[in-house]
Structure formats: C-alpha cells, structure tokens
Amino acid sequence: MTLWRIGYSARLLKTNRFRTAASNTSFPAVWMLLAQYSGRVPGLFVVVKKNNFFTMPETVEDKANLELYLPHPEVRGMTQLNREAFKRTVVVPVLKVKKEIVNTLLKSIKHMILQRPGLKRVVEDPEDEDSRLVILDPHKISEFSLGESDQEVLKQLNVHPEVSKYNLELTYENFKSEEILRAVLPEGQEVTSGFSRVGHIAHLNLRDHQLPYRHLIGQVIIDKNPGITCVVNKTNIIDSTYRNFQMEVLAGESNLVTKVKENNITYELDFSKVYWNPRLSTEHGRIVELLKPGDVLFDVFAGIGPFAIPAAKKKCCVFANDLNPESYSWLLHNCKLNKVGHKIKAFNMDGRDFLLGPVREELSRELPLLKEEQKTSFHIVMNLPALAIEFLDVFRHLLAGEPCSTAGLPTVHCYSFSKHDDPAKDVRERAEASLGTSLDGRCSTYLVRNVAPNKEMLCISFQIPAEVLYKRPCPDGAIPASKRVCSSRDFSEAKVELKKS
Ligand SMILES: C[S@@+](CC[C@H](N)C(=O)[O-])C[C@H]1O[C@@H](n2cnc3c(N)ncnc32)[C@H](O)[C@@H]1O
C-alpha cells in the first residue's frame, strides 16, 4: 500500500506523540489519528486512486463537512469575544493545478469551489511553487472524488482530475455571525443575528437568555457588517409618549446621531431621542404617492418628517407637528437639510391642539374658497398607531358653523394596531365609535405590516363625512366640543341640516 503525504501532516508522524501511536497502529487507524489531530495542523495529504488505497472513514468526512460551519467547540459559553478561540482545522478536497491555468479553471468549476466568508479560493502549494491548490466544497464532491462530468471538464483543461485532502484552517473571519453565535450561546436556545439597521446603528431586541452574551453579540455584529459601528439593545418596550425607547450601547461607539436614507431622501436624527422605524419606508412612500403637487398635508404625529419632507419635495403645502421637542427640532433640521423649509410649517404641540388650532384654521380658510373644479386635496396623516384612533373625535363639529363645502372634504389616513381576528373590521369599528358615525362603504383599510405574532398595523383611510365635520355641537355647552359623544340621532339631524344648507 502506497501513501503520499505532503506538507505538515507528514511531519506530524515524526512528533513523539504520533510516533508512539502510529508505530503500534494499522494504516487506517493512523489516518484516523491524522484526521483527528489535523484539527490543529494545516497541510495537504493526497488520497488519489482511492480504491487502490483506502477510503477515509465516512464519519470523519461527515464530521469535516459539518465542521465547516462550526467554530471550535471551546467557544461555547464565551461572554468576552476571543476571536483566536474560533480557529479550527478541517479536511477539505483540493485540486492541484498549474498556476497558469488557475483563472480559466476557476470559471469552469465555480459550482465546486468552497465559499466561506473571507476564504481564499486558491492557496499556494507547499510542495510546488509552480502549482496552486484550488479549494473545493466537500458537499459538492461526494466522498472526495469527482463525478464523471466534472472529470470531463478537467480533462478538457488538461488538469489531472485528482482530488487531494487538505487541512484547511478556518478562523473567526471565515464563520458567519449566525454560526458564531450558535457556537457560543447555550445549545438548543434561540440564536438571533437579526437586527434593524438605522444608519451606522444596529438595533437589537434581545431575549433574556441572550443578555449575558449581549456585548459579544454586539461585537460580532460590528465585525460582520461593514458600516455598522454601534450596536444597541432595546431596554424597555416602546411605551413612552414619544415612541422612542431606552437603549443600551452593547458595542462600538456611543454616537447615536445618525444619517439614514429613505425613498431617496436623507434624514439625520438622534436615535436615542426620536422615533425612527426603517420598516415604514414603503408606507411613507405609499401615502406620498397619493398626493399631487399643490395638495395640502397635515401630519399630526410627524416625527422627524418621513411623510412631510417627501410631500414638500412633491410641492405639497405641509403642516407638520410633533409633541416631542427633539423630533420637532430634528424635523426643522431635516427641512433645512432637504431644502424644503419654505413648504413646511412645523409645530411642536399636542396632536389634539394641532387639529383644533392650525388645522382647523387652515381648513376653515381654504375649504370655502375651493371650487368643485379645483383639484386640491387635503390629507391628514395620523401615524401614532397605539392612540391615533382616540384623536378622531376631534373631527366632530371641527368646522361647525362654517359654510359647508363638500368639494374638498379632507381625507384622513389614521394608523392603528389590532390584535383582533378581523383587524380591518376592528379598526373600522373603533374609528366609527370615535367619529360617532358609520364609515360603511366610505373607508378603506390597508394592512401596513405584521408587528408581532397576532398584532397587525393598519391604516384606515376615509374622507371625513360632512355630517361629522360641519355638524353643530349638541346643545350642551358645558362639555368641550372635541370631548363630547353625540348620539346617532344627532348625526341624522346633521345630515338633514346639511341637505338644507
Ligand atoms: C409612531 S411615531 C411616527 C413618526 C413619523 N410619522 C413616522 O412615520 O416615522 C409617532 C410620533 O408621534 C409623536 N407623538 C406622540 N404623542 C403625541 C401627541 N400627543 N401629539 C403629537 N405628537 C405625538 C411622537 O413623538 C412620535 O414622533
């Protein structure tokens, strides 16, 4: 039986530890030892004409295949990242080829080449400086021998279809973040390498069992995602008035002022102080798409301006409001940044006051001037899904006493969460209760996104019914108009009044 050994593996046999074991052992057993020991020593050994010599025990091959995706087992439980500890050596198939034809060969055998992050496809041949070793994927080379069609391709390129085994050293750089985290975190527990990205910030929402590893998780995310230099974890649920959440910086710089691009518009913001959700970009775009130049947009809960700024860019006239003074100042900043300051009036007040004040004033000034043939539309966006429906009662009697104009009844786009079996029905019914009228056949509901299992975010859109907007308040002057609940009788009276006017 002949055996060629090339490189470090051959030298291994000379070490004391191996000499003792090998001298008392049959050949296959030596190979087992080599394979086991090869976990530490890179090198190449040839097993050509496999049938003439021997086959590597299948268990070793299977193990090697798996090990391609498993960092060294010692890393389990690590809480401080030690990149060196991830190293391991695996046995992979290689093709030995003359260096002049490497590029041509690579194109023809792309499908067989081992792909790992940061891994070189071609390495020096330690035995022959005119040759190179092309690293193949053991999953594609069954039992370390080439299929007929692959052999044919190699023959055409004048390459001897001979597969050798090579001890490949994998390092931290060659593993994906999920593989790294799966190797570190307790076995059988959920591993997440998912995050939302806001500029240079990765934002995580870790589970309790992941918390002891949070700094390591943060560092792995920075290492594996170019452009991310700060990782934060949410430390409370998003229940603050301003819809931002407390966060802990897990790794990287503690700079939370960042720049994002959404639908081709750039925004700057302090992620620790204002609301920003990259998952809303499609929804922002959808609403802005409904607007035409010259339309008027009232954005009641505007944040830093993702509806307001693109609408102003589209030459709409925009009134944007947010109660959070930080959102308000970033909104002003972004208006300047995008050169739309002249198209946006910004406010820093409660949404209810904004509707009862600037919105009411603007509508009562502009609506009576509208002619039927005029194309201007008025839109009111209310993106505060946890609460916005409760603000809809403000529209009752908002323009009571004003000359009634049905030409430009404003369209409301109001957001809400729902955990109901029929979320559209649920949102419509709650909107109806708040407005005090039926929206049957007069509204549309749009499913924006699934927020959590069994929790949807929806947008209900409707033109404010004239009988809601223009109806006179109930004859109960003691209760403020925006707080009062009227009976359905009041609304049928309002309809009659409207018909008369
Ligand atoms: C869900 S965020 C939406 C922000 C922005 N429209 C967007 O789509 O990204 C809701 C915003 O409403 C603001 N807000 C919360 N309560 C408010 C209130 N009572 N009046 C006005 N703004 C309020 C928060 O500060 C936050 O910026």
Side-chain angles (χ1 to χ4, degrees):
M1 201 184 295
T2 317
L3 175 73
W4 295 303
R5 296 180 294 268
I6 303 176
Y8 299 108
S9 297
R11 260 170 263 144
L12 255 179
L13 279 169
K14 294 184 189 148
T15 66
N16 279 342
R17 186 169 160 192
F18 257 84
R19 203 178 297 133
T20 325
S23 56
N24 303 324
T25 318
S26 62
F27 249 112
V30 173
W31 271 100
M32 279 288 275
L33 280 167
L34 272 174
Q36 283 162 9
Y37 204 77
S38 71
R40 296 177 195 243
V41 188
L44 167 75
F45 42 100
V46 181
V47 279
V48 285
K49 300 182 202 158
K50 147 168 121 64
N51 295 336
N52 292 352
F53 299 107
F54 63 89
T55 316
M56 200 106 148
E58 263 183 25
T59 49
V60 176
E61 283 187 7
D62 293 348
K63 199 168 151 236
N65 287 354
L66 265 180
E67 285 169 353
L68 275 174
Y69 309 102
L70 286 177
H72 198 283
E74 267 174 24
V75 302
R76 176 84 60 212
M78 178 188 282
T79 50
Q80 286 252 325
L81 184 61
N82 171 10
R83 295 178 185 83
E84 283 295 302
F86 286 79
K87 272 189 190 160
R88 87 176 312 162
T89 304
V90 291
V91 181
V92 292
V94 288
L95 263 181
K96 186 182 169 95
V97 288
K98 287 286 162 211
K99 63 181 183 190
E100 304 79 56
I101 63 146
V102 164
N103 286 338
T104 320
L105 177 81
L106 287 178
K107 282 181 205 143
S108 318
I109 61 161
K110 253 189 213 154
H111 62 287
M112 285 194 255
I113 291 172
L114 179 61
Q115 311 271 359
R116 292 265 71 202
L119 188 75
K120 284 188 182 163
R121 297 179 298 174
V122 181
V123 293
E124 305 263 315
D125 180 347
E127 294 295 305
D128 177 1
E129 61 179 33
D130 292 332
S131 293
R132 294 289 179 267
L133 304 173
V134 177
I135 300 176
L136 305 179
D137 186 339
H139 291 107
K140 311 278 171 61
I141 313 291
S142 167
E143 296 189 1
F144 281 67
S145 68
L146 297 170
E148 271 177 28
S149 59
D150 292 332
Q151 291 199 21
E152 200 48 47
V153 172
L154 294 179
K155 270 184 204 153
Q156 279 172 14
L157 291 166
N158 239 349
V159 176
H160 189 44
E162 174 181 280
V163 176
S164 309
K165 293 194 176 187
Y166 178 77
N167 285 340
L168 172 71
E169 185 177 76
L170 291 173
T171 66
Y172 174 80
E173 282 66 38
N174 306 133
F175 293 107
K176 298 180 183 171
S177 26
E178 208 191 321
E179 293 160 353
I180 290 172
L181 298 182
R182 186 166 297 131
V184 170
L185 267 68
E187 236 166 327
Q189 297 220 5
E190 193 200 343
V191 167
T192 174
S193 53
F195 55 85
S196 326
R197 184 171 180 166
V198 177
H200 68 279
I201 303 164
H203 157 222
L204 308 177
N205 192 2
L206 294 178
R207 307 274 169 82
D208 286 350
H209 72 272
Q210 296 160 337
L211 291 178
Y213 308 92
R214 63 192 186 282
H215 298 296
L216 179 143
I217 295 173
Q219 192 54 54
V220 171
I221 288 175
I222 289 181
D223 290 345
K224 297 291 174 183
N225 296 278
I228 289 192
T229 54
C230 169
V231 179
V232 297
N233 184 39
K234 209 165 161 176
T235 54
N236 67 343
I237 53 163
I238 184 168
D239 58 358
S240 70
T241 309
Y242 301 145
R243 317 313 296 161
N244 55 341
F245 40 78
Q246 283 155 22
M247 52 186 81
E248 180 191 13
V249 176
L250 302 182
E253 54 171 333
S254 292
N255 168 22
L256 294 169
V257 173
T258 193
K259 192 185 270 209
V260 292
K261 204 164 187 180
E262 182 181 276
N263 301 329
N264 277 327
I265 294 181
T266 301
Y267 302 89
E268 289 175 351
L269 59 118
D270 182 337
F271 191 53
S272 64
K273 300 201 169 122
V274 302
Y275 178 90
W276 182 260
N277 186 344
R279 295 191 178 114
L280 289 178
S281 63
T282 310
E283 182 57 14
H284 294 145
R286 184 181 76 89
I287 294 292
V288 174
E289 191 63 26
L290 302 174
L291 310 175
K292 308 180 299 301
D295 282 353
V296 180
L297 173 71
F298 301 103
D299 191 352
V300 185
F301 309 104
I304 63 155
F307 290 114
I309 290 171
K313 284 230 168 220
K314 215 173 168 180
K315 300 197 177 353
C316 296
C317 172
V318 181
F319 294 71
N321 171 66
D322 202 285
L323 181 61
N324 179 358
E326 288 285 343
S327 296
Y328 170 73
S329 63
W330 283 105
L331 170 67
L332 293 178
H333 175 87
N334 288 313
C335 287
K336 235 190 232 162
L337 188 68
N338 289 288
K339 302 185 175 56
V340 289
H342 61 293
K343 296 297 283 178
I344 299 186
K345 280 190 191 152
F347 301 84
N348 176 209
M349 52 172 75
D350 180 76
R352 190 172 284 275
D353 298 334
F354 175 64
L355 288 164
L356 288 167
V359 176
R360 187 185 171 283
E361 263 168 44
E362 185 66 14
L363 288 177
S364 44
R365 187 169 46 242
E366 292 300 321
L367 288 184
L369 304 177
L370 271 188
K371 309 250 163 45
E372 282 294 341
E373 67 275 13
Q374 269 183 311
K375 297 276 189 296
T376 307
S377 306
F378 293 81
H379 292 263
I380 303 177
V381 173
M382 301 174 70
N383 182 16
L384 179 60
L387 287 176
I389 282 187
E390 293 173 28
F391 286 70
L392 292 179
D393 65 312
V394 175
F395 297 120
R396 299 181 186 199
H397 341 294
L398 189 69
L399 299 181
E402 303 285 338
C404 176
S405 158
T406 47
L409 290 171
T411 301
V412 172
H413 308 280
C414 179
Y415 292 85
S416 180
F417 296 126
S418 177
K419 292 183 171 177
H420 205 270
D421 285 348
D422 186 345
K425 180 167 173 269
D426 169 48
V427 169
R428 198 194 76 214
E429 286 176 356
R430 285 190 285 123
E432 288 175 341
S434 195
L435 287 165
T437 195
S438 164
L439 290 174
D440 202 14
R442 308 197 270 186
C443 68
S444 63
T445 39
Y446 181 83
L447 183 64
V448 177
R449 69 188 195 97
N450 176 250
V451 179
N454 197 28
K455 184 175 178 182
E456 314 291 347
M457 175 178 171
L458 291 96
C459 175
I460 181 165
S461 296
F462 56 89
Q463 273 199 309
I464 308 174
E467 77 269 17
V468 172
L469 208 52
Y470 290 102
K471 182 199 165 294
R472 293 230 167 78
C474 304
D476 179 0
I479 305 171
S482 59
K483 296 276 180 199
R484 211 166 332 108
V485 178
C486 296
S487 70
S488 53
R489 210 186 107 253
D490 297 326
F491 290 102
S492 41
E493 280 169 7
K495 277 183 201 159
V496 174
E497 278 178 28
L498 277 166
K499 272 187 201 148
K500 280 189 209 150
S501 60

